[in-house]
Amino acid sequence: MENNAIEITGLRVVRGHKEVLHDLSLTVPRGAVVGLLGPSGGGKSTLMRSIVGAQIVADGDVKIFGLDAGTPPLRHRVGYVTQAPSVYGDLTVRQNLSYFGALVGADADNVTHTISSVGLADQADQVVDTLSGGQRSRVSLAAAILGHPDLLVLDEPTVGLDPALRDDLWKLFRHFADQGTTILVSSHVMDEATRCDRLLFLREGRILADGTLEEITQDTGTTDAESAFLALARRGEAA
Ligand SMILES: Nc1ncnc2c1ncn2[C@@H]1O[C@H](COP(=O)(O)OP(=O)(O)OP(=O)(O)O)[C@@H](O)[C@H]1O
């Protein structure tokens, strides 16, 4: 069995005539919660799209569980939640999840359980268009976890959520990881680094750091992710 969920070598991506990912190489171990952190426009979404096979790549190799990203055997093994809601606005939460559940073989009990696990039990019969933004993004998350994917790729899932809900979601991610799911989660909120087993700092299409928070803060002589990121960014500019 492969020890890594994700193995990327020499990835280059061009978007709109501009290279936005420059020769990236990285690995993500199985069962870890890995935070992909960095400023807006740094390439987080593009990297995630490459991992789920939704991005044309100019060069390089992206392997997921030893298979080429985006190939059919990975379809049910990889769950992807983008920043845009990916569920039907005119259906209720339960109707949406029953529909997506039917595609992956999840039964009604699984649907009900998944709705509660993302904290939407009280909204189960509410039409999605009438939910708040944060609630809507949790419906998309619920749809992605219904089939128990081996890899969950989450693009800024906690954006716009209040601290209590953010905390609930991070606990949920940890719960999935404890069950063996690998989680790659992007954020531009540096304090979410403490929730992750490992971190990838991405800036201007390059990996600035890849390691545990402890390793990265030690390497930079700092005490938190934000200062470590700034130190690494300055180091990069000075080089
Ligand atoms: N469709 C597109 N056409 C051309 N350039 C694009 C396109 N989408 C993204 N880019 C550029 O690619 C770069 C990386 O964007 P990306 O969305 O991956 O960054 P990000 O780190 O996810 O940012 P954010 O946190 O704001 O979502 C940016 O410079 C962006 O302007």
Side-chain angles (χ1 to χ4, degrees), residues 208 219-222 225-237:
L208 280 187
D219 174 52
T220 48
T222 56
E226 180 130 17
S227 320
F229 187 90
L230 290 173
L232 288 163
R234 282 195 206 103
R235 204 186 272 176
E237 276 157 15

Side-chain angles (χ1 to χ4, degrees), residues 15-16 18 20 39-47 83 155-156 188:
R15 294 185 88 171
K18 201 177 88 179
V20 297
S40 178
K44 301 182 298 297
S45 302
T46 305
L47 175 57
Q83 290 174 43
D155 200 349
E156 306 238 7
H188 59 260

Side-chain angles (χ1 to χ4, degrees), residues 107-129:
D107 62 16
D109 281 352
N110 190 343
V111 165
T112 302
H113 175 76
T114 305
I115 292 172
S116 332
S117 74
V118 297
L120 290 175
D122 291 345
Q123 288 79 27
D125 297 310
Q126 203 171 319
V127 170
V128 165
D129 271 345

Side-chain angles (χ1 to χ4, degrees), residues 84-197:
S86 52
V87 290
Y88 297 101
D90 56 340
L91 300 182
T92 67
V93 174
R94 190 186 303 280
Q95 285 167 338
N96 264 290
L97 294 187
S98 300
Y99 170 73
F100 289 108
L103 300 180
V104 294
D107 62 16
D109 281 352
N110 190 343
V111 165
T112 302
H113 175 76
T114 305
I115 292 172
S116 332
S117 74
V118 297
L120 290 175
D122 291 345
Q123 288 79 27
D125 297 310
Q126 203 171 319
V127 170
V128 165
D129 271 345
T130 66
L131 297 174
S132 74
Q135 289 170 336
R136 261 199 302 271
S137 62
R138 277 179 288 143
V139 184
S140 303
L141 174 65
I145 63 180
L146 263 178
H148 295 293
D150 295 320
L151 171 66
L152 201 45
V153 178
L154 307 170
D155 200 349
E156 306 238 7
T158 60
V159 102
L161 296 185
D162 63 58
L165 273 177
R166 271 173 55 184
D167 187 51
D168 286 349
L169 272 195
W170 278 104
K171 285 184 179 141
L172 187 64
F173 301 157
R174 177 57 58 194
H175 169 73
F176 294 140
D178 288 344
Q179 294 184 326
T181 304
T182 307
I183 300 188
L184 180 68
V185 50
S186 71
S187 178
H188 59 260
V189 183
M190 286 286 171
D191 65 10
E192 296 197 318
T194 57
R195 309 283 198 154
C196 303
D197 299 316

Side-chain angles (χ1 to χ4, degrees), residues 10-15 19 21 50 55-61:
L11 174 65
R12 289 197 309 109
V13 173
V14 174
R15 294 185 88 171
E19 186 171 287
L21 296 183
S50 307
Q55 178 67 53
I56 293 173
V57 308
D59 201 2
D61 195 32

